[in-house]
Amino acid sequence: MTATADYKTLAERASKELAEATAAEALRWTADTFGDDFIVASNMQDAVLIDLATQVKPDVDVLFLQTGYHFPETIGTRDAVQAVYPGVRIVNAEAEQSVAEQDAEYGPKLHERDPNQCCHLRKVVPLRNTLAKYSAWVTGVRRVDAPTRANTPIVTWDDRNGLVKINPIAPWSDDEFNGYISEHGILENPLVSIGYLSIGCAPCTAKVAPGQDPRSGRWAGQGKTECGLHG
Ligand code: SF4
């Protein structure tokens, strides 16, 4: 059996065994199973997942998709994460082309004309290239994020990227999530407090009015809801 087949079997078994696991249990299992061979993804909206992960692995690798289109506050949050959790290693996954090179080849503002292609070049491919170096990744996806995420399991096999995917806080409600931030004084992107409730690249992220779906601020008016990272 290949290593990939081994990990796929492992993920299928763990999906059942850890179906009711707490975030701490899921992360402990991840660290015990994969050692250094996993990475935690963060969009630098907050450091909840990083805080939880450093409790089981203080020197955990953290994946940040450096698309070249982030708000300065998001870059500042990334740098603050490094200061607050000095052991973590932040891996900045970049596209093959700079924004200027992309503009030269495809024309400026590809995100306005073809956001799927822009996300593919600046997120999906860099993610795939980075994940190819690991056997597992950990994400902060939650079931309440969007209807498309309602059935997110705690452990699964990520067929698209060919590795195990762990979603330790998948079952967390907004109250649990916000409670963790306030109880533990967790770092948050300052944009959250002024109404940016789902933060991505600056050109594709809008403020969300009180009571609206947080992800409605992503690619507003373009009929797109996901980057293609978690499909
Ligand atoms: S979120 Fe917008 S700017 Fe960022 S990669 Fe996707 S389309 Fe491009």
Side-chain angles (χ1 to χ4, degrees), residues 43-211:
N43 66 351
M44 298 300 166
Q45 176 156 327
D46 57 75
V48 169
L49 190 62
I50 294 166
D51 188 80
L52 289 162
T54 54
Q55 290 170 36
V56 298
K57 189 168 173 27
D59 62 347
V60 73
D61 286 0
V62 173
L63 167 59
F64 176 62
L65 290 173
Q66 178 35 310
T67 62
Y69 276 118
H70 283 296
F71 292 101
E73 290 87 344
T74 301
I75 301 301
T77 304
R78 176 199 64 184
D79 296 345
V81 161
Q82 186 69 83
V84 173
Y85 305 93
V88 305
R89 187 175 79 97
I90 295 178
V91 177
N92 290 288
E94 296 182 1
E96 282 173 23
Q97 292 182 313
S98 67
V99 170
E101 288 167 345
Q102 178 174 297
D103 287 353
E105 181 168 345
Y106 297 92
K109 299 189 178 177
L110 182 62
H111 50 80
E112 284 183 359
R113 290 174 288 111
D114 191 346
N116 286 335
Q117 187 176 21
C118 186
C119 274
H120 182 78
L121 294 168
R122 311 208 71 76
K123 289 185 169 181
V124 175
V125 173
L127 177 75
R128 185 192 302 147
N129 290 344
T130 304
L131 294 184
K133 300 172 187 147
Y134 296 87
S135 296
W137 68 309
V138 178
T139 89
V141 169
R142 290 188 296 132
R143 293 170 191 154
V144 294
D145 287 339
T148 48
R149 299 181 175 186
N151 298 317
T152 301
I154 291 178
V155 181
T156 189
W157 174 251
D158 177 350
D159 212 26
R160 179 185 309 199
N161 294 299
L163 78 173
V164 181
K165 184 176 183 183
I166 302 104
N167 307 300
I169 59 171
W172 283 24
S173 66
D174 287 339
D175 282 349
E176 281 173 285
F177 186 80
N178 293 326
Y180 190 87
I181 289 176
S182 49
E183 273 166 40
H184 299 273
I186 301 298
L187 194 63
E188 240 186 331
N189 191 317
L191 293 173
V192 175
S193 65
I194 58 167
Y196 290 89
L197 302 185
S198 178
I199 301 171
C201 296
C204 303
T205 302
K207 281 189 191 182
V208 175

